[in-house]
mmCIF file with all atom_site columns, all heavy atoms in Angstrom:
data_model
loop_
_atom_site.group_PDB
_atom_site.id
_atom_site.type_symbol
_atom_site.label_atom_id
_atom_site.label_alt_id
_atom_site.label_comp_id
_atom_site.label_asym_id
_atom_site.label_entity_id
_atom_site.label_seq_id
_atom_site.pdbx_PDB_ins_code
_atom_site.Cartn_x
_atom_site.Cartn_y
_atom_site.Cartn_z
_atom_site.occupancy
_atom_site.B_iso_or_equiv
_atom_site.pdbx_formal_charge
_atom_site.auth_seq_id
_atom_site.auth_comp_id
_atom_site.auth_asym_id
_atom_site.auth_atom_id
_atom_site.pdbx_PDB_model_num
ATOM 1   N N   . ALA A 1 240 ? -64.775 16.435 64.222 1.00 0.00 ? 492 ALA A N   1
ATOM 2   C CA  . ALA A 1 240 ? -64.995 15.572 65.313 1.00 0.00 ? 492 ALA A CA  1
ATOM 3   C C   . ALA A 1 240 ? -64.049 15.818 66.488 1.00 0.00 ? 492 ALA A C   1
ATOM 4   O O   . ALA A 1 240 ? -64.354 15.286 67.642 1.00 0.00 ? 492 ALA A O   1
ATOM 5   C CB  . ALA A 1 240 ? -64.646 14.073 64.797 1.00 0.00 ? 492 ALA A CB  1
ATOM 6   N N   . THR A 1 241 ? -63.140 16.708 66.387 1.00 0.00 ? 493 THR A N   1
ATOM 7   C CA  . THR A 1 241 ? -62.208 16.951 67.486 1.00 0.00 ? 493 THR A CA  1
ATOM 8   C C   . THR A 1 241 ? -62.108 18.401 67.821 1.00 0.00 ? 493 THR A C   1
ATOM 9   O O   . THR A 1 241 ? -61.106 18.934 68.265 1.00 0.00 ? 493 THR A O   1
ATOM 10  C CB  . THR A 1 241 ? -60.726 16.495 67.168 1.00 0.00 ? 493 THR A CB  1
ATOM 11  O OG1 . THR A 1 241 ? -60.383 17.028 65.901 1.00 0.00 ? 493 THR A OG1 1
ATOM 12  C CG2 . THR A 1 241 ? -60.763 14.948 66.967 1.00 0.00 ? 493 THR A CG2 1
ATOM 13  N N   . LEU A 1 242 ? -63.214 19.198 67.605 1.00 0.00 ? 494 LEU A N   1
ATOM 14  C CA  . LEU A 1 242 ? -63.216 20.639 67.853 1.00 0.00 ? 494 LEU A CA  1
ATOM 15  C C   . LEU A 1 242 ? -62.992 20.931 69.262 1.00 0.00 ? 494 LEU A C   1
ATOM 16  O O   . LEU A 1 242 ? -63.433 20.141 70.120 1.00 0.00 ? 494 LEU A O   1
ATOM 17  C CB  . LEU A 1 242 ? -64.480 21.260 67.398 1.00 0.00 ? 494 LEU A CB  1
ATOM 18  C CG  . LEU A 1 242 ? -64.841 21.314 65.855 1.00 0.00 ? 494 LEU A CG  1
ATOM 19  C CD1 . LEU A 1 242 ? -66.224 21.790 65.584 1.00 0.00 ? 494 LEU A CD1 1
ATOM 20  C CD2 . LEU A 1 242 ? -63.767 22.211 65.168 1.00 0.00 ? 494 LEU A CD2 1
ATOM 21  N N   . SER A 1 243 ? -62.409 22.040 69.627 1.00 0.00 ? 495 SER A N   1
ATOM 22  C CA  . SER A 1 243 ? -62.262 22.534 70.992 1.00 0.00 ? 495 SER A CA  1
ATOM 23  C C   . SER A 1 243 ? -62.495 24.027 70.990 1.00 0.00 ? 495 SER A C   1
ATOM 24  O O   . SER A 1 243 ? -62.669 24.682 69.968 1.00 0.00 ? 495 SER A O   1
ATOM 25  C CB  . SER A 1 243 ? -60.841 22.210 71.496 1.00 0.00 ? 495 SER A CB  1
ATOM 26  O OG  . SER A 1 243 ? -59.869 23.046 70.921 1.00 0.00 ? 495 SER A OG  1
ATOM 27  N N   . ALA A 1 244 ? -62.516 24.612 72.156 1.00 0.00 ? 496 ALA A N   1
ATOM 28  C CA  . ALA A 1 244 ? -62.705 25.991 72.317 1.00 0.00 ? 496 ALA A CA  1
ATOM 29  C C   . ALA A 1 244 ? -61.633 26.868 71.582 1.00 0.00 ? 496 ALA A C   1
ATOM 30  O O   . ALA A 1 244 ? -61.886 27.930 71.168 1.00 0.00 ? 496 ALA A O   1
ATOM 31  C CB  . ALA A 1 244 ? -62.825 26.391 73.778 1.00 0.00 ? 496 ALA A CB  1
ATOM 32  N N   . ASP A 1 245 ? -60.438 26.210 71.504 1.00 0.00 ? 497 ASP A N   1
ATOM 33  C CA  . ASP A 1 245 ? -59.284 26.958 70.942 1.00 0.00 ? 497 ASP A CA  1
ATOM 34  C C   . ASP A 1 245 ? -59.196 26.770 69.391 1.00 0.00 ? 497 ASP A C   1
ATOM 35  O O   . ASP A 1 245 ? -58.365 27.445 68.735 1.00 0.00 ? 497 ASP A O   1
ATOM 36  C CB  . ASP A 1 245 ? -58.027 26.538 71.566 1.00 0.00 ? 497 ASP A CB  1
ATOM 37  C CG  . ASP A 1 245 ? -57.793 26.906 72.980 1.00 0.00 ? 497 ASP A CG  1
ATOM 38  O OD1 . ASP A 1 245 ? -58.382 28.017 73.272 1.00 0.00 ? 497 ASP A OD1 1
ATOM 39  O OD2 . ASP A 1 245 ? -57.248 26.270 73.772 1.00 0.00 ? 497 ASP A OD2 1
ATOM 40  N N   . THR A 1 246 ? -60.080 25.967 68.850 1.00 0.00 ? 498 THR A N   1
ATOM 41  C CA  . THR A 1 246 ? -60.022 25.734 67.315 1.00 0.00 ? 498 THR A CA  1
ATOM 42  C C   . THR A 1 246 ? -60.407 26.983 66.616 1.00 0.00 ? 498 THR A C   1
ATOM 43  O O   . THR A 1 246 ? -61.381 27.678 66.987 1.00 0.00 ? 498 THR A O   1
ATOM 44  C CB  . THR A 1 246 ? -61.048 24.601 67.018 1.00 0.00 ? 498 THR A CB  1
ATOM 45  O OG1 . THR A 1 246 ? -60.724 23.449 67.633 1.00 0.00 ? 498 THR A OG1 1
ATOM 46  C CG2 . THR A 1 246 ? -60.988 24.337 65.426 1.00 0.00 ? 498 THR A CG2 1
ATOM 47  N N   . VAL A 1 247 ? -59.640 27.315 65.603 1.00 0.00 ? 499 VAL A N   1
ATOM 48  C CA  . VAL A 1 247 ? -59.922 28.483 64.723 1.00 0.00 ? 499 VAL A CA  1
ATOM 49  C C   . VAL A 1 247 ? -60.783 28.076 63.588 1.00 0.00 ? 499 VAL A C   1
ATOM 50  O O   . VAL A 1 247 ? -60.472 27.109 62.920 1.00 0.00 ? 499 VAL A O   1
ATOM 51  C CB  . VAL A 1 247 ? -58.577 29.117 64.274 1.00 0.00 ? 499 VAL A CB  1
ATOM 52  C CG1 . VAL A 1 247 ? -58.957 30.211 63.235 1.00 0.00 ? 499 VAL A CG1 1
ATOM 53  C CG2 . VAL A 1 247 ? -57.826 29.639 65.425 1.00 0.00 ? 499 VAL A CG2 1
ATOM 54  N N   . LEU A 1 248 ? -61.837 28.765 63.356 1.00 0.00 ? 500 LEU A N   1
ATOM 55  C CA  . LEU A 1 248 ? -62.713 28.685 62.208 1.00 0.00 ? 500 LEU A CA  1
ATOM 56  C C   . LEU A 1 248 ? -62.447 29.794 61.217 1.00 0.00 ? 500 LEU A C   1
ATOM 57  O O   . LEU A 1 248 ? -62.291 30.896 61.670 1.00 0.00 ? 500 LEU A O   1
ATOM 58  C CB  . LEU A 1 248 ? -64.167 28.641 62.585 1.00 0.00 ? 500 LEU A CB  1
ATOM 59  C CG  . LEU A 1 248 ? -64.767 27.596 63.578 1.00 0.00 ? 500 LEU A CG  1
ATOM 60  C CD1 . LEU A 1 248 ? -66.204 27.813 63.849 1.00 0.00 ? 500 LEU A CD1 1
ATOM 61  C CD2 . LEU A 1 248 ? -64.445 26.234 63.080 1.00 0.00 ? 500 LEU A CD2 1
ATOM 62  N N   . ARG A 1 249 ? -62.478 29.485 59.902 1.00 0.00 ? 501 ARG A N   1
ATOM 63  C CA  . ARG A 1 249 ? -62.253 30.428 58.896 1.00 0.00 ? 501 ARG A CA  1
ATOM 64  C C   . ARG A 1 249 ? -63.418 30.273 57.827 1.00 0.00 ? 501 ARG A C   1
ATOM 65  O O   . ARG A 1 249 ? -63.671 29.159 57.476 1.00 0.00 ? 501 ARG A O   1
ATOM 66  C CB  . ARG A 1 249 ? -60.993 30.411 58.189 1.00 0.00 ? 501 ARG A CB  1
ATOM 67  C CG  . ARG A 1 249 ? -60.813 31.379 57.042 1.00 0.00 ? 501 ARG A CG  1
ATOM 68  C CD  . ARG A 1 249 ? -59.375 31.354 56.461 1.00 0.00 ? 501 ARG A CD  1
ATOM 69  N NE  . ARG A 1 249 ? -58.976 30.080 55.946 1.00 0.00 ? 501 ARG A NE  1
ATOM 70  C CZ  . ARG A 1 249 ? -59.427 29.561 54.799 1.00 0.00 ? 501 ARG A CZ  1
ATOM 71  N NH1 . ARG A 1 249 ? -60.277 30.230 54.051 1.00 0.00 ? 501 ARG A NH1 1
ATOM 72  N NH2 . ARG A 1 249 ? -58.914 28.330 54.443 1.00 0.00 ? 501 ARG A NH2 1
ATOM 73  N N   . VAL A 1 250 ? -64.079 31.344 57.549 1.00 0.00 ? 502 VAL A N   1
ATOM 74  C CA  . VAL A 1 250 ? -65.163 31.264 56.544 1.00 0.00 ? 502 VAL A CA  1
ATOM 75  C C   . VAL A 1 250 ? -64.493 30.812 55.203 1.00 0.00 ? 502 VAL A C   1
ATOM 76  O O   . VAL A 1 250 ? -63.404 31.348 54.855 1.00 0.00 ? 502 VAL A O   1
ATOM 77  C CB  . VAL A 1 250 ? -65.824 32.559 56.274 1.00 0.00 ? 502 VAL A CB  1
ATOM 78  C CG1 . VAL A 1 250 ? -66.915 32.421 55.201 1.00 0.00 ? 502 VAL A CG1 1
ATOM 79  C CG2 . VAL A 1 250 ? -66.534 33.018 57.633 1.00 0.00 ? 502 VAL A CG2 1
ATOM 80  N N   . ARG A 1 251 ? -65.038 29.871 54.593 1.00 0.00 ? 503 ARG A N   1
ATOM 81  C CA  . ARG A 1 251 ? -64.490 29.329 53.283 1.00 0.00 ? 503 ARG A CA  1
ATOM 82  C C   . ARG A 1 251 ? -64.310 30.410 52.335 1.00 0.00 ? 503 ARG A C   1
ATOM 83  O O   . ARG A 1 251 ? -65.182 31.203 51.991 1.00 0.00 ? 503 ARG A O   1
ATOM 84  C CB  . ARG A 1 251 ? -65.420 28.324 52.787 1.00 0.00 ? 503 ARG A CB  1
ATOM 85  C CG  . ARG A 1 251 ? -64.925 27.330 51.712 1.00 0.00 ? 503 ARG A CG  1
ATOM 86  C CD  . ARG A 1 251 ? -66.002 26.319 51.341 1.00 0.00 ? 503 ARG A CD  1
ATOM 87  N NE  . ARG A 1 251 ? -65.698 25.533 50.227 1.00 0.00 ? 503 ARG A NE  1
ATOM 88  C CZ  . ARG A 1 251 ? -66.470 24.738 49.577 1.00 0.00 ? 503 ARG A CZ  1
ATOM 89  N NH1 . ARG A 1 251 ? -67.777 24.597 50.086 1.00 0.00 ? 503 ARG A NH1 1
ATOM 90  N NH2 . ARG A 1 251 ? -66.098 24.095 48.575 1.00 0.00 ? 503 ARG A NH2 1
ATOM 91  N N   . ALA A 1 252 ? -63.071 30.446 51.715 1.00 0.00 ? 504 ALA A N   1
ATOM 92  C CA  . ALA A 1 252 ? -62.733 31.537 50.832 1.00 0.00 ? 504 ALA A CA  1
ATOM 93  C C   . ALA A 1 252 ? -63.686 31.384 49.488 1.00 0.00 ? 504 ALA A C   1
ATOM 94  O O   . ALA A 1 252 ? -63.961 30.272 49.084 1.00 0.00 ? 504 ALA A O   1
ATOM 95  C CB  . ALA A 1 252 ? -61.318 31.369 50.310 1.00 0.00 ? 504 ALA A CB  1
ATOM 96  N N   . ARG A 1 253 ? -64.021 32.585 49.050 1.00 0.00 ? 505 ARG A N   1
ATOM 97  C CA  . ARG A 1 253 ? -64.836 32.681 47.780 1.00 0.00 ? 505 ARG A CA  1
ATOM 98  C C   . ARG A 1 253 ? -66.246 32.092 47.937 1.00 0.00 ? 505 ARG A C   1
ATOM 99  O O   . ARG A 1 253 ? -66.923 31.960 46.947 1.00 0.00 ? 505 ARG A O   1
ATOM 100 C CB  . ARG A 1 253 ? -64.104 32.077 46.560 1.00 0.00 ? 505 ARG A CB  1
ATOM 101 C CG  . ARG A 1 253 ? -62.796 32.695 46.298 1.00 0.00 ? 505 ARG A CG  1
ATOM 102 C CD  . ARG A 1 253 ? -62.158 32.137 44.966 1.00 0.00 ? 505 ARG A CD  1
ATOM 103 N NE  . ARG A 1 253 ? -61.882 30.763 45.113 1.00 0.00 ? 505 ARG A NE  1
ATOM 104 C CZ  . ARG A 1 253 ? -60.825 30.186 45.636 1.00 0.00 ? 505 ARG A CZ  1
ATOM 105 N NH1 . ARG A 1 253 ? -59.961 30.990 46.362 1.00 0.00 ? 505 ARG A NH1 1
ATOM 106 N NH2 . ARG A 1 253 ? -60.654 28.924 45.706 1.00 0.00 ? 505 ARG A NH2 1
#
Side-chain angles (χ1 to χ4, degrees):
T493 56
L494 291 173
S495 71
D497 291 328
T498 301
V499 173
L500 299 179
R501 175 174 59 77
V502 178
R503 192 176 171 192
R505 300 185 297 282

